[in-house]
Amino acid sequence: MNDLVRQHTALSESDLEWLHLLVSEWQLLSDLSFADLVLWVPTRDGTRYVSVAQMRPNTGPTSYQDDMVGHLVPRGRRPLLDAALDEGRIVREGDPEWREEVPVRVESIPVRREGRVLGVIARNTNLLTVRTPSRLELTYLQSASDLAQMIAAGSFPFPGQQVDMDASPRVGDGLIRLDADGVVQYASPNALSAYHRLGLASDLVGHHLGKTTDELAPARGPVDEAMIKLASGYAPRETEVEGSGGVIQLRAIPLKPKGTRIGSLVLLRDVTELRRRERELITKDATIREIHHRVKNNLQTVAALLRLQARRMDSPQGRDALNEAVRRVGSIAIVHETLSQNLDERVDFDEIADRVLSMVSEISPGTVSCRRTGRFGILDAEVATPLSMVLAEIIQNALEHAFAPGEQGRVELSAVRSAGSTVKRGEGTRSDARLLITIQDDGCGLPEGFDPRRAGNLGLQIVRTLVEGELGGGFDMVAAPVRGTRVLLDIPVEPLK
């Protein structure tokens, strides 16, 4: 719609915002009217109309099989559009228009904003299935007529009240028509069922909706005047009401076809099961976070016990082995601590990488600086846990073996992540995104004849096992171009969102 309005019309940005506000609301008018809506806006030179938006009803058959958005028609071809635009009033024709052997009733509703007519809504009703209307259909049509008059007068939609139609109640979910005093004139079967679930034992018609709703909500001490006013439809508002048996979502729409409120529409939806499932998910999320928190605490307890044991060791080799175990346990604890603060099993690994660097640096010579460049991004927990251990092992190995005691140096950790995509491989799919990690130091370099794939120390065995076995990636250690050692990791990851 933005492109069409800016290309063909002279409307301002504020006018365009008004049209967006209208389009966000007009599913309501379409459903109440059982009709298709097409928004026509005059072109910049005033010789044609361009259709910038279209809506089909959920409550009846469509009048247009084709998409009308982007169509241009010359002024004069559709007299109802001309009359509505020029005279600023709703225009109806007597005889239906035939389209592909389907009779269609056509009406034109001017769209007014601040005294100016911006465009015209063509309301097209398929008459092929017309029958004697029920009380529900008559209420729908009367409400649609009131809304159409408000659009023509510029009082609907309500400024500053843009509604998410995916989340708000719709006409078919439940509808209540109130008079000017807030007394129920009509309640659809779905609306009545929703109130019965709240605990209502009688009919709604003839009762004051605000007071009835307040009585069905749990006792909150003094009478909730705000709830009574909202459910009475005095202002355009949305809320949820929870009773002993369920939860309903309410949306109040004041009806002012001639400037004075004559009543209100209340749309409502029974969201009991939806809220129950949300609460279950919240409970599960809280349980998972608590598990991660307890695992982190247990790991920290294990690390503390290992540190105590290391202090009592007389053997330097035994003390070093226990300190290495403390570091490995600590790298896993960092991941669980991060997971305990998230709502899903995914973590921002940049934060974890920085904490691993800090942890390893604390127990290493202070003359060697460590820093990170690049971004790891968001990783699944099943990748983050082994990867944190891998980084801790490699960085610790560099700090221990690349530099002599007191020697100054630098260890740099860098990450490059490709965007990637999900590609089909055989009968399944897999990601071709990669995370390329480089850990480089400027130390003494690798010993003569060193083969990282055959080196027998425990740290490198852990790295190889985790990278190649658990992460399904590649691992290599090579001499740096100038001085020192470069470790290369190539790990498959999920594509960037």
Side-chain angles (χ1 to χ4, degrees):
M1 185 167 73
N2 286 350
D3 293 340
L4 289 171
V5 169
R6 289 167 181 159
Q7 179 182 354
H8 295 286
T9 78
L11 296 182
S12 65
E13 289 298 316
S14 58
D15 292 334
L16 179 57
E17 285 300 316
W18 182 262
L19 296 185
H20 275 293
L21 190 61
L22 172 66
V23 168
S24 73
E25 293 272 28
W26 71 343
Q27 181 73 65
L28 173 62
L29 177 63
S30 178
D31 290 346
L32 290 173
S33 304
F34 309 98
D36 290 74
L37 305 178
V38 179
L39 177 57
W40 296 93
V41 179
T43 57
R44 190 174 287 104
D45 58 9
T47 61
R48 295 181 296 175
Y49 297 96
V50 58
S51 57
V52 298
Q54 180 179 1
M55 178 58 66
R56 292 184 172 91
N58 294 316
T59 52
T62 184
S63 302
Y64 287 110
Q65 298 300 323
D66 299 326
D67 186 4
M68 295 298 296
V69 176
H71 280 54
L72 289 161
V73 297
R75 184 177 173 89
R77 179 175 295 180
R78 301 194 178 184
L80 294 184
L81 294 181
D82 297 339
L85 183 69
D86 297 338
E87 300 173 23
R89 63 179 180 87
I90 298 175
V91 181
R92 300 179 175 89
E93 70 175 4
D95 297 328
E97 180 180 306
W98 288 83
R99 298 175 187 162
E100 299 180 357
E101 299 183 354
V102 175
V104 176
R105 182 174 64 241
V106 180
E107 302 169 85
S108 293
I109 305 167
V111 177
R112 192 183 302 274
R113 173 180 179 262
E114 296 179 352
R116 297 180 299 111
V117 177
L118 307 182
V120 179
I121 295 176
R123 180 164 55 176
N124 303 269
T125 308
N126 187 323
L127 300 178
L128 196 61
T129 58
V130 168
R131 53 187 171 80
T132 303
S134 64
R135 178 75 187 279
L136 180 144
E137 291 168 334
L138 289 173
T139 303
Y140 277 20
L141 293 172
Q142 180 58 54
S143 302
S145 177
D146 294 334
L147 284 177
Q149 292 183 57
M150 291 171 65
I151 292 173
S155 57
F156 186 84
F158 304 109
Q161 294 289 325
Q162 188 159 358
V163 175
D164 181 0
M165 292 305 297
D166 292 331
S168 293
R170 298 199 176 195
V171 170
D173 296 327
L175 178 143
I176 297 175
R177 173 85 184 215
L178 307 178
D179 65 14
D181 297 322
V183 176
V184 178
Q185 294 179 311
Y186 175 79
S188 71
N190 284 347
L192 191 58
S193 297
Y195 265 83
H196 283 167
R197 190 159 187 175
L198 280 184
L200 180 68
S202 61
D203 195 1
L204 273 172
V205 176
H207 291 78
H208 190 281
L209 185 65
K211 295 178 180 177
T212 301
T213 303
D214 187 67
E215 291 170 358
L216 294 173
R220 296 180 299 278
V223 174
D224 190 341
E225 292 292 341
M227 173 65 71
I228 293 177
K229 288 186 176 181
L230 188 148
S232 300
Y234 288 107
R237 294 287 186 274
E238 283 195 46
T239 192
E240 284 189 5
V241 179
E242 183 170 0
S244 57
V247 184
I248 61 173
Q249 184 180 11
L250 293 178
R251 182 189 176 198
I253 303 171
L255 297 176
K256 304 177 181 179
K258 296 182 179 179
T260 302
R261 192 173 71 86
I262 63 168
S264 305
L265 278 183
V266 176
L267 304 180
L268 62 143
R269 174 191 295 165
D270 186 345
V271 293
T272 305
E273 292 304 313
L274 178 62
R275 296 296 175 259
R276 180 185 64 79
R277 290 196 296 269
E278 287 178 351
R279 286 167 183 161
E280 288 180 353
L281 288 174
I282 291 172
T283 301
K284 289 178 181 178
D285 288 339
T287 302
I288 292 171
R289 289 200 300 273
E290 179 62 21
I291 290 172
H292 284 301
H293 182 70
R294 293 189 181 189
V295 169
K296 182 263 296 184
N297 287 344
N298 290 339
L299 289 173
Q300 289 180 337
T301 300
V302 170
L305 292 173
L306 290 174
R307 276 193 294 269
L308 287 173
Q309 187 66 38
R311 293 188 187 122
R312 295 174 180 269
M313 293 286 292
D314 295 329
S315 167
Q317 290 182 337
R319 191 182 306 114
D320 291 342
L322 288 176
N323 284 331
E324 286 186 3
V326 169
R327 173 177 43 75
R328 288 165 185 150
V329 171
S331 64
I332 300 174
I334 289 173
V335 177
H336 283 282
E337 182 179 3
T338 305
L339 287 169
S340 70
Q341 300 168 2
N342 291 348
L343 294 176
D344 55 15
E345 293 291 286
R346 295 167 65 81
V347 295
D348 184 350
F349 198 80
D350 296 318
E351 176 186 349
I352 292 175
D354 290 340
R355 295 184 64 180
V356 168
L357 278 173
S358 176
M359 178 189 69
V360 175
S361 299
E362 286 176 359
I363 56 176
S364 301
T367 54
V368 179
S369 63
C370 300
R371 70 166 189 154
R372 172 182 65 86
T373 60
R375 297 197 70 243
F376 290 86
I378 303 297
L379 296 178
D380 292 332
E382 59 188 16
V383 175
T385 301
L387 183 56
S388 67
M389 285 192 64
V390 167
L391 295 183
E393 291 294 336
I394 295 174
I395 296 167
Q396 179 67 27
N397 185 71
L399 293 174
E400 285 184 356
H401 302 293
F403 305 98
E407 182 182 2
Q408 293 186 348
R410 184 178 72 244
V411 176
E412 184 169 307
L413 167 65
S414 65
V416 177
R417 184 170 178 173
S418 62
S421 61
T422 301
V423 296
K424 189 171 183 180
R425 300 283 176 85
E427 296 182 356
T429 59
R430 61 175 296 180
S431 166
D432 62 355
R434 313 295 295 184
L435 178 59
L436 305 178
I437 304 170
T438 304
I439 303 99
Q440 181 168 319
D441 64 68
D442 58 355
C444 62
L446 296 172
E448 187 71 26
F450 179 81
D451 184 355
R453 297 191 172 277
R454 296 184 180 181
N457 72 70
L458 179 60
L460 286 181
Q461 288 180 10
I462 291 174
V463 170
R464 284 199 301 269
T465 301
L466 292 177
V467 173
E468 297 175 354
E470 191 162 342
L471 295 175
F475 161 71
D476 198 8
M477 291 181 71
V478 297
V482 178
R483 171 184 167 88
T485 304
R486 176 181 290 175
V487 180
L488 304 172
L489 306 176
D490 181 0
I491 300 172
V493 292
E494 290 295 315
L496 290 171
K497 300 297 184 182

